[in-house]
Amino acid sequence: MLPFRIFFCLLLLVVGASALTSYLVSHSIRSVMVTTMGAWLLLQVAYFASVLFLIWRSSRAQSGRQRAKRFDHCQEGRYQSQAYHEGDK
């Protein structure tokens, strides 16, 4: 995972570059404020989506491990029952 200090520096870089570009194009402080707020909002949405993705991926991996564990348990039971029935003969 990305350390907070690096994340914060990248966040400031993106928002600062957005504000500077907006000011150089429009020469309007109002435009800079709207663009900066838009950049912050976009970054927040991307962060929220990435957290949801990580939660989804983790739950998929966990359910896959549980299915594999159940399958292994069923296979062990099948082999034990076959050995039991072969011993009866």
Side-chain angles (χ1 to χ4, degrees), residues 34-45:
V34 169
T35 304
T36 303
M37 290 299 150
W40 274 104
L41 181 63
L42 183 63
L43 287 171
Q44 290 297 319
V45 168

Side-chain angles (χ1 to χ4, degrees), residues 9-69:
C9 289
L10 288 172
L11 181 69
L12 288 179
L13 180 70
V14 168
V15 172
S18 172
L20 181 64
T21 303
S22 178
Y23 184 74
L24 291 175
V25 169
S26 68
H27 298 291
S28 168
I29 297 297
R30 183 180 189 140
S31 175
V32 169
M33 297 300 278
V34 169
T35 304
T36 303
M37 290 299 150
W40 274 104
L41 181 63
L42 183 63
L43 287 171
Q44 290 297 319
V45 168
Y47 177 77
F48 184 70
S50 66
V51 168
L52 287 178
F53 173 73
L54 289 173
I55 292 170
W56 174 78
R57 189 175 68 176
S58 174
S59 68
R60 294 267 303 176
Q62 188 176 22
S63 67
R65 283 192 299 266
Q66 287 175 350
R67 271 188 261 127
K69 190 175 181 180

